[in-house]
Amino acid sequence: RLCGEAEDKLAQELIHFELQVERDVIEPLFVLAEVEIPNIQKQRKHLAKLVLDMDSSRTRWQQSVKSSGLASNLQPSGAKADALREEMEEAANRVEICRDQLSADMYNFVAKEVDYANYFQTVSATPPGRACPRCRGDPGAVSPQLIEVQAEYHRKSLALLQTFLPQIKAQQEAWMEKPSFGKPLEEHLAVSGREIAFPVEACVTMLLECGMQEEGLFRVAPSASKLKKLKAALDCCVVDVQEYSADPHAIAGALKSYLRELPEPLMTFELYEEWIQASNIPEQEKRLQALWNACEKLPKANYNNIRYVIKFLAKLTEYQDMNKMTPSNVAIVLGPNLLWPQAEGNMTEMMTTLSLQIVGIIEPLIQHADWFFPGDIEFNVTGNYGSPLHVNHNANYSSMPSPDMDHGERRQHDQARRPLSVATDNMMLEFCKKDGMGVRVMDTSWVARRGTSAGRKATSAPPSAQPPAPP
């Protein structure tokens, strides 16, 4: 819209400029081109004709002299010779008169050269009888000519552009729905005004709703077309939750793609060697302490997002009996998307050597997530998957039932919430039925008790005094 307004105003200035040039420059020059110059050209053609007539008369007179047999220094006699001589003299007289007239016209034309030049140069007095259209008809006012009109047009056009450009740039900078895949994390967070990257929060929140029990999550490849569509939707900050709730593998694939396509891994290139060295420490207590020290050195944006991801992965492994995703399995499939060297070697070397070390980094982070990142975490930070354009159709679907609920409370809870989809609701129902068989159910009641530590284990002491116990 702003660009359209700018183009419209520039077009109006161009129209005004062309009309003004038409009135103040082209019309006066039209008289010159259509009257004075044609008159001069007509005089020149007439002079050329008279010269031809004069030459023809002279030729006839000379031939008459030769035919009479007289000497070249004698004049021919007789009526014919006199008539030819008079004709020749009359033709010469007409040529002289025409030449004088042409010279007078040319001199007059040259004398007005300054006046004509004024139409192309800067400012000059308005010719008598012509009123400047910008001066309300005052004949004595100053009328801008071609160069000045052009300069004024360009000045106004530049002023318009200088007015619109900052507005357009401000609109672009304020546009939050910018692509996030392949963009630096800090740039995306600064543009969107977020702490957690939108694709990360959107994917994690949806997976908490529909993917925690999915066998092989992050390991099973999704449909390529579905994954491409979801990534494009996330780039536009618009996600149709209903569409993807039945395909958690596409959501998990989009999260992996976002992490892998970051220009710099979430755990940073700068700390890569420190992470690798920490994973090589044989003593568990010292290894964990070294990993904790590396975590503390992460930039704030990276720390917040890795904390968010690791907390989610830890919650995912709580369902390993059903989804088969143990901390080791999760570290294998997600580790290379969280940390990789800046100068990658060949893929074989990467898979054989570095992947084992990266798994040795990610697995303990997941196993001891509450020690590395103490405190509760609100996964649904913005309450609507982060999209300013997204309508949360699942606003009442706050959490799955807690394993501490009895059968009556669970039924009440199921009736109070609105299911994400029929398929998801049936999946949740089947899962709740298996609760009585000893399968652990995810407790997401953190939504209701945000900011409290009830139901959470206390923060562990530093490893030098009390190393974290295995979960």
Side-chain angles (χ1 to χ4, degrees):
R1 180 182 59 81
L2 285 173
C3 289
E5 290 180 5
E7 293 295 336
D8 180 64
K9 291 187 180 297
L10 287 173
Q12 292 178 13
E13 288 297 330
L14 180 60
I15 290 173
H16 177 74
F17 161 72
E18 291 180 346
L19 289 175
Q20 194 167 358
V21 169
E22 178 76 24
R23 289 190 298 260
D24 297 341
V25 179
I26 297 179
E27 287 182 6
L29 294 179
F30 180 81
V31 176
L32 172 68
E34 295 296 323
V35 178
E36 297 187 22
I37 292 179
N39 286 340
I40 293 175
Q41 292 174 338
K42 185 178 178 181
Q43 289 281 1
R44 293 181 62 181
K45 290 179 181 179
H46 185 55
L47 175 63
K49 182 177 180 301
L50 292 178
V51 170
L52 289 176
D53 292 343
M54 182 184 69
D55 292 341
S56 176
S57 300
R58 181 182 294 113
T59 301
R60 288 197 303 272
W61 179 75
Q62 290 175 350
Q63 288 176 352
S64 175
V65 170
K66 290 180 180 179
S67 63
S68 61
L70 299 176
S72 59
N73 57 346
L74 298 177
Q75 297 295 328
S77 59
K80 184 176 180 181
D82 293 339
L84 289 174
R85 184 175 65 253
E86 291 177 1
E87 182 181 345
M88 182 183 66
E89 292 174 351
E90 185 178 351
N93 188 40
R94 288 198 298 269
V95 167
E96 188 67 23
I97 294 174
C98 187
R99 183 180 286 116
D100 292 342
Q101 182 64 40
L102 177 61
S103 298
D105 291 343
M106 290 293 293
Y107 285 134
N108 289 332
F109 177 78
V110 173
K112 295 179 181 179
E113 183 178 357
V114 176
D115 296 333
Y116 297 139
N118 283 333
Y119 292 113
F120 296 95
Q121 295 174 0
T122 57
V123 181
S124 66
T126 303
R130 285 185 50 79
C132 172
R134 301 178 60 188
C135 303
R136 300 183 182 275
D138 182 5
V142 174
S143 173
Q145 305 304 311
L146 180 62
I147 302 300
E148 181 63 27
V149 172
Q150 287 178 329
E152 183 67 15
Y153 162 69
H154 290 301
R155 278 194 293 266
K156 289 184 177 180
S157 299
L158 178 61
L160 281 172
L161 292 175
Q162 289 175 335
T163 300
F164 277 96
L165 275 177
Q167 299 179 41
I168 294 174
K169 289 180 179 178
Q171 286 282 348
Q172 291 294 94
E173 293 171 358
W175 190 258
M176 296 174 62
E177 291 76 26
K178 289 184 177 178
S180 51
F181 281 80
K183 302 298 181 182
L185 177 66
E186 291 187 356
E187 176 184 316
H188 166 62
L189 298 180
V191 168
S192 59
R194 305 171 57 88
E195 290 187 357
I196 306 300
F198 171 73
V200 173
E201 182 184 343
C203 292
V204 165
T205 312
M206 288 190 288
L207 288 175
L208 285 171
E209 296 283 1
C210 66
M212 302 302 284
Q213 305 170 56
E214 190 71 25
E215 183 173 342
L217 194 68
F218 291 107
R219 193 175 64 215
V220 176
S223 164
S225 60
K226 185 73 70 174
L227 175 60
K228 183 178 180 181
K229 180 179 177 181
L230 178 55
K231 288 172 62 178
L234 290 170
D235 259 346
C236 296
C237 293
V238 180
V239 181
D240 186 351
V241 181
Q242 297 289 347
E243 177 181 358
Y244 296 101
S245 60
D247 192 357
H249 294 293
I251 303 173
L255 178 57
K256 286 174 63 177
S257 294
Y258 173 76
L259 295 173
R260 183 60 187 175
E261 291 176 20
L262 285 172
E264 184 178 13
L266 209 54
M267 299 172 75
T268 72
F269 288 132
E270 185 178 355
L271 296 175
Y272 176 80
E273 292 298 333
E274 188 167 341
W275 289 114
I276 296 298
Q277 292 173 8
S279 70
N280 292 330
I281 299 175
E283 296 84 357
Q284 182 187 16
E285 180 180 348
K286 293 182 179 179
R287 181 169 68 253
L288 293 176
Q289 182 66 64
L291 292 174
W292 185 88
N293 291 336
C295 278
E296 292 300 308
K297 293 180 182 179
L298 286 169
K300 183 179 178 181
N302 297 70
Y303 180 88
N304 290 338
N305 281 267
I306 194 67
R307 173 177 179 265
Y308 186 93
V309 171
I310 294 298
K311 284 279 198 176
F312 163 70
L313 297 178
K315 186 170 287 293
L316 178 67
T317 60
E318 294 178 5
Y319 299 89
Q320 57 186 280
D321 291 339
M322 299 195 67
N323 58 35
K324 312 304 181 187
M325 296 304 293
T326 63
S328 176
N329 290 339
V330 173
I332 289 172
V333 295
L334 268 181
N337 300 291
L338 295 172
L339 181 65
W340 62 84
Q342 188 165 11
E344 295 185 7
N346 60 61
M347 187 56 64
T348 304
E349 179 186 355
M350 178 71 180
M351 295 301 293
T352 54
T353 308
L354 299 178
S355 290
L356 295 176
Q357 294 176 307
I358 293 174
V359 170
I361 298 168
I362 304 301
E363 184 177 1
L365 290 180
I366 297 173
Q367 290 173 329
H368 310 293
D370 287 329
W371 180 77
F372 281 103
F373 308 105
D376 294 342
I377 187 170
E378 175 71 87
F379 288 106
N380 195 358
V381 179
T382 53
N384 60 352
Y385 307 124
S387 171
L389 302 179
H390 172 71
V391 178
N392 187 3
H393 301 290
N394 194 39
N396 298 326
Y397 194 95
S398 59
S399 67
M400 290 188 294
S402 170
D404 301 328
M405 289 184 182
D406 59 26
H407 183 71
E409 289 175 338
R410 184 172 296 142
R411 178 177 298 176
Q412 240 180 3
H413 182 278
D414 289 340
Q415 292 172 350
R417 67 183 175 86
R418 180 171 60 183
L420 189 66
S421 68
V422 175
T424 307
D425 200 43
N426 291 337
M427 181 183 69
M428 296 297 182
L429 181 59
E430 291 298 321
F431 185 61
C432 292
K433 289 178 182 178
K434 296 180 182 179
D435 183 29
M437 301 172 61
V439 180
R440 187 177 182 187
V441 182
M442 177 179 68
D443 177 14
T444 55
S445 55
W446 42 264
V447 176
R449 61 174 189 265
R450 182 182 181 186
T452 68
S453 58
R456 309 284 298 185
K457 61 183 179 181
T459 303
S460 303
S464 57
Q466 180 188 348

